[in-house]
Structure formats: C-alpha cells, structure tokens
C-alpha cells in the first residue's frame, strides 16, 4: 500500500473518491424549525419575551422581560409547571413541512430570595409531551413523550431577568434556557401542542425551589396567545390567563430540528452499467500503471 500511495498516478483517482464521499455522507445538520421566542425582526409579528436590552436598565445592565404591572395592570410574572403540584403547561406550534424534532428550548425563571442574584441551577428533570391536537379536546392524542420520562439536557442562565415596569432593576427572577430532548420525533406538516413539566430541587421551604414559565411579552399587548394549563397531571386543561387582567397568554419556545438529507439520485440499469464500466476502466489503468512503476523497463545500454 505504501508503494501505491507514493505513486502520483494514484492521486488521479482523488476526484472519484471525493465524489463518492460526498454522495454517501449527506450530513444531517440541526436547524430551527419553530421559534416564537427570539424574533429577528421587530416587525415580524412574533412577540418573543425580551422587552428591553438597554444596558442602562435592568439588573446589572442585562436584558429584561417586563411584566406590565403599571402600564396594563397585569400581575402574573409567570406560570408554574411543577410536577410536584401536578401542573403542566401546553402551547401550540405549527410546522410547514415534515420535520424531525431534535430539541426544544423553554424559558422559565427561577425565583430567588429577595435581594439575591444567584443563577445556580436547581432544575432536576423535565418532562415533555406532544399532542396532535388541543390537549383535552375530543380526538386529541399524545404522539410523543410522557410526563414521567426525564428528557432534560441542560439548564443555563440566559442573561435575562423577569421584572416589572415599576422597578426594572430587580434581580430576583433570572430567566433560564431549559433544553429538552425530543427524541428525533418526525412529524408531518401541521399544528401540534407542546406540553412541559419540571421537577426542581427542594432544599428550603421558600420560593427558591420553583421555576415558572415566562409568558410571551410585548409592551402594550395584554393578550399574547392561547396556551393551556393543567393542575391535575395533564388530565384536564384550562386557558392560561393573567391573574390581573384575565387575558389569554402564550409562551416562548424554540424547536431545533434535524434537516432531512436530500434523496440520493437513482440511476437506471444503463446508468449502473456505465458506472461499472467506468470504474473497471479506471481500475485496470491504475493496476497497469502500478505494475509498470513496480517493474520499470530498463533501457538497453
């Protein structure tokens, strides 16, 4: 093999090997297939949940998500989805094409003791279900997941705080990005419902052990979606509403999918025969050249 590789004519085969590798590899890359959490365009109609990134505002100059307590008389910072309390939250999403779901990112805030700024993670487990229709409605079925299997992958601080618009410098509610595994579930185009529930570490009898999901938030807008909440472990559901205004709320999340590889072009019988003949010719030429290099003809003196 050393002799063959040192033969410069061997490298004439490189384009063929490169083409072969390209054909068989077809890398499968992750891509965002649903995102109502971080709009790239302020005029897109997507709400998101970050209301201000002004470094002169917020806890330590970080971005904030404002509860409009003064502006709209809203009172709900977030909504619980804690397994211990049998609570779960569900919200809808739409796929425009067939997709293979890889992960989902959710955005709950962690309650701290007043006056503290700790972002230490206390989330232990996350449960996910996907419905093919509105949870609890006749005919709606769970098509993926359950509320007993831990699919938590990570939980990290986003650098964003949940505050109110009276005092936006509070540091008691750091918002986390919780990533959960969707198990490469493939779904056809359509509208589905994502349901989630969290298990948190309990080390003190205070609010530090509770994660609450931040609703979609836009300044001046009181109604942001049509999410549901269950208080009996996912048996019955009711609309998620702000406790002050009783307006319906939605939730931000990002679903990452795996791109489906492009289909490999197929060849008919004639195409396969031509390819086989081409490989035979190239192989024969390479063997002949190898034999010549290994046993060169000596010129007579």
């Amino acid at each position: 093999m050393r002799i063959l590789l040192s033969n410069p004519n061997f490298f004439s085969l490189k384009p063929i090997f490169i083409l072969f590798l390209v054909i068989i590899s077809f890398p499968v890359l992750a891509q965002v297939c649903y995102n109502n959490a971080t709009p790239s365009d302020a005029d897109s109609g997507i709400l998101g949940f970050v209301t201000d990134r002004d470094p002169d505002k917020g806890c330590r100059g970080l971005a904030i998500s404002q509860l409009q307590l003064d502006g709209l008389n809203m009172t709900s910072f977030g909504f619980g989805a804690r397994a211990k309390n049998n609570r779960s939250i569900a919200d809808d999403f739409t796929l425009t094409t067939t997709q293979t779901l890889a992960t989902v990112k959710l955005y709950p805030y962690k309650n701290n003791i007043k006056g503290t700024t700790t972002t230490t993670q206390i989330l232990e487990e996350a449960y996910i279900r996907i419905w093919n229709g509105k949870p609890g409605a006749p005919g709606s079925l769970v098509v993926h997941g359950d509320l007993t299997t831990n699919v938590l992958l990570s939980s990290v601080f986003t650098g964003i705080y949940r505050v109110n618009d009276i005092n936006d410098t509070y540091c008691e509610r750091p918002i986390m990005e919780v990533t959960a595994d969707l198990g490469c579930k493939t779904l056809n185009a359509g509208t589905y419902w994502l349901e989630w529930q969290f298990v948190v570490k309990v080390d003190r009898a205070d609010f530090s052990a509770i994660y609450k999901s931040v609703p979609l938030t836009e300044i001046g807008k009181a109604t942001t979606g049509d999410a549901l909440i269950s208080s009996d472990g996912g048996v019955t559901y009711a609309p998620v509403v702000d406790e002050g205004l009783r307006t319906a709320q939605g939730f931000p999340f990002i679903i990452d999918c795996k791109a489906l590889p492009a289909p490999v072009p197929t060849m008919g019988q004639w195409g396969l025969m031509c390819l086989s003949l081409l490989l035979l010719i190239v192989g024969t030429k390479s063997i002949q050249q190898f034999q010549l290099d290994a046993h060169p003809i000596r010129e007579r003196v």
Side-chain angles (χ1 to χ4, degrees):
M1 181 61 69
R2 183 173 64 253
I3 297 174
L4 180 58
L5 292 176
S6 63
N7 181 358
N9 291 286
F10 172 78
F11 290 95
S12 64
L13 298 178
K14 285 177 66 177
I16 296 176
F17 283 106
I18 291 173
L19 177 61
F20 175 73
L21 290 175
V22 169
I23 291 175
I24 66 171
S25 58
F26 288 101
V28 178
L29 303 175
Q31 63 181 11
V32 174
C33 55
Y34 182 81
N35 180 1
N36 70 338
T38 56
S40 57
D41 179 3
D43 298 322
S44 65
I46 300 174
L47 297 183
F49 66 100
V50 180
T51 58
D52 205 326
R53 296 185 181 275
D54 188 340
D56 294 328
K57 297 180 180 180
C59 172
R60 297 180 287 144
L62 296 176
I64 55 177
S65 174
Q66 290 176 299
L67 168 67
Q68 298 171 84
L69 177 61
D70 183 53
L72 295 178
N73 294 317
M74 300 180 76
T75 61
S76 297
F77 280 101
F79 299 85
R82 191 178 181 190
K84 182 179 179 180
N85 298 332
N86 292 318
R87 289 182 177 270
S88 62
I89 293 174
D91 206 351
D92 61 316
F93 66 95
T94 299
L95 301 175
T96 57
T97 60
T98 298
Q99 298 284 355
T100 298
L101 281 56
T103 62
V104 61
K105 297 180 176 68
L106 300 162
Y107 296 92
Y109 69 79
K110 171 182 175 254
N111 269 321
N112 288 325
I113 300 173
K114 189 172 182 179
T116 67
T117 60
T118 178
T119 59
T120 302
Q121 302 305 307
I122 58 173
L123 196 66
E124 293 181 308
E125 297 183 7
Y127 308 143
I128 297 289
R129 291 199 297 195
I130 297 176
W131 295 71
N132 64 0
K134 188 175 182 179
S140 292
L141 298 173
V142 173
V143 295
H144 176 71
D146 53 56
L147 297 183
T148 57
T149 303
N150 180 22
V151 292
L152 176 67
L153 294 177
S154 65
S155 177
V156 297
F157 176 46
T158 60
I160 306 165
Y161 283 88
R162 183 68 168 163
V163 299
N164 63 47
D165 57 0
I166 295 177
N167 189 336
D168 58 15
T169 60
Y170 282 153
C171 300
E172 284 81 32
R173 296 177 181 88
I175 299 174
M176 308 300 175
E177 182 178 79
V178 175
T179 302
D181 185 10
L182 294 181
C184 291
K185 174 65 178 179
T186 298
L187 297 176
N188 294 326
T191 298
Y192 300 86
W193 286 72
L194 180 81
E195 182 179 13
W196 63 93
Q197 189 178 70
F198 300 132
V199 173
V200 295
K201 185 187 304 180
V202 180
D203 53 5
R204 292 188 300 272
D206 59 29
F207 287 108
S208 66
I210 297 177
Y211 275 31
K212 289 188 175 182
S213 290
V214 176
L216 292 167
T217 305
E218 182 177 301
I219 299 300
K221 185 179 275 298
T223 300
T224 63
D226 58 356
L228 301 174
I229 191 166
S230 174
S231 299
D232 54 13
V235 178
T236 61
Y237 297 84
V240 176
V241 297
D242 177 80
E243 292 181 0
L245 289 185
R246 309 303 297 174
T247 50
Q249 303 295 295
F251 291 87
F253 53 91
I254 299 173
I255 297 176
D256 287 320
C257 294
K258 290 187 175 180
L260 296 176
V264 178
T266 59
M267 294 185 294
Q269 291 182 347
W270 283 106
L272 290 173
M273 290 174 63
C274 291
L275 178 60
S276 299
L277 181 59
L278 175 62
L279 292 176
L280 178 61
I281 293 172
V282 172
T284 302
K285 288 290 185 181
S286 298
I287 292 173
Q288 290 175 348
Q289 188 61 51
F290 169 72
Q291 291 174 340
L292 289 174
D293 291 342
H295 305 285
I297 299 175
R298 298 179 181 274
E299 294 185 2
R300 295 182 178 179
V301 179

